[in-house]
Each structure stands twice: as C-alpha cells, then as structure tokens.
Amino acid sequence: SDSGAIDGDEGSGRQWRVLECMRAKAEGGDAEAMSHMADMYQFGTNGLIKDEVQAYKWTSRAADLNHTPGIGSKGAYLLHGVGTKQNRVEGGTLLGIAAARGHGDSQYNLGLCFYQGKRGYTKNIRMSKYWLQRGIEKDREWSLKAEDIVTQSKKMLESIKKEEEEGRN
C-alpha cells in the first residue's frame, strides 16, 4: 500500500514528521523528495517498511522529471528486475544516461556490469576500469552509501590490476 506504514514500535514522532514532510514534497512534484522516498522504501529507513515496489514507483516518478539520481536508480531497478519487471535494455540505457551525467552510483553499477559480464553486458575490463575510476573521482553527493561504493570500486580496480598483472585478461 501507499500508506507509508511505520514499522512496529520503531516509529517516532520525528520519523512521522520527516516522512509526512517528504511525502508532501514528493506528491507536490519535488523530484529530489521523490528520490528520498524511494531510498526510504528501498532500505526500510526512517521507520518505513522495506517495499521495493514503492521504491521503484518513486524513483520512476523522479526519473520522469529528468532527475539524474532518479534516472540512475530507475535504470538499476529495471536492469535487476527489482520492484518491477526486468527490462535490461531500458535499464542499461537509463544507467548509461545517469553515468554519463556523472551519477556516481550509476558509474559504479556500469563498472560492475562490465567487470562481471552480466545482465546483458559483455565482460570488458577497459570499460569497467573507465566507469569505476570515474565513479571514484566524482563528487559523491548523490549516493546514499557513497563511502561503501567508493571502497568497493577501489577493491574492484585492485582486483582488475592483479588480474592484469597475472595475465589472466
């Protein structure tokens, strides 16, 4: 449902106020607030129960307003089939748009897809390195878990370097 149900006794008055304010902004057309609503549903934060369908709904609305983080998130949801039917073509396209605009999470996701050669992507170490490096260099303002993603990107780049030194690629 779209009730924004607070999880059990975890909900505090402050959480309700933040949620009500964010929902009002999102419903009023604020794309940034829509992305925040999507994040709260995706991770089950601010007292909301995790709901991937609601997360997709909100990120999709933000994407439709040309909001770069929303475009990247919608792309990832579609690519993985989370909260919606999987659509790798549309998902990869949206991910590429957001990555090209500098969205760090999308750059990381593209780097990962090229590194693994999964989700419709051909394994391509050069492309993987390109996107991972761009993501590390980029200001991480859009990421909910920026430090984790930068750390993961650096680890992946280190793995690529070792593979290249060992001549496995």
Side-chain angles (χ1 to χ4, degrees):
S1 93
D2 200 20
S3 68
I6 299 287
D7 188 12
D9 294 329
E10 298 296 314
S12 68
R14 182 187 161 287
Q15 285 176 322
W16 275 109
R17 287 189 298 278
V18 168
L19 182 61
E20 287 172 7
C21 178
M22 195 62 66
R23 185 180 302 282
K25 286 180 180 178
E27 288 174 350
D30 182 326
E32 186 70 25
M34 291 173 190
S35 279
H36 286 301
M37 287 298 296
D39 288 344
M40 287 189 283
Y41 275 115
Q42 179 183 1
F43 298 107
T45 57
N46 215 61
L48 279 177
I49 296 169
K50 185 175 177 173
D51 184 336
E52 293 171 340
V53 173
Q54 285 298 316
Y56 175 76
K57 176 189 131 185
W58 283 111
T59 203
S60 185
R61 287 180 65 186
D64 290 347
L65 293 173
N66 202 28
H67 185 251
T68 299
I71 291 169
S73 293
K74 182 177 182 176
Y77 277 69
L78 285 163
L79 192 65
H80 297 279
V82 174
T84 188
K85 185 176 183 225
Q86 186 177 49
N87 183 330
R88 290 181 174 173
V89 173
E90 185 178 354
T93 300
L94 294 175
L95 208 57
I97 290 167
R101 288 183 181 181
H103 185 242
D105 293 2
S106 297
Q107 292 167 334
Y108 168 77
N109 278 319
L110 275 181
L112 182 62
C113 287
F114 280 117
Y115 179 71
Q116 294 176 333
K118 292 185 178 175
R119 295 182 178 75
Y121 287 79
T122 302
K123 184 167 179 139
N124 184 324
I125 296 302
R126 267 194 206 108
M127 289 299 289
S128 178
K129 285 168 50 176
Y130 173 80
W131 286 114
L132 292 170
Q133 195 60 49
R134 293 246 345 241
I136 290 170
E137 293 166 359
K138 175 71 183 141
D139 177 6
R140 308 296 299 169
E141 68 188 79
W142 288 323
S143 177
L144 194 64
K145 298 188 175 232
E147 290 178 25
D148 294 344
I149 289 175
V150 168
T151 300
Q152 291 298 340
S153 294
K154 288 179 180 178
K155 284 180 183 176
M156 207 175 311
L157 283 166
E158 201 51 46
S159 294
I160 291 169
K161 185 178 176 185
K162 283 180 184 172
E163 287 178 24
E164 287 175 334
E165 287 170 359
E166 294 169 8
R168 283 192 277 163
N169 277 329

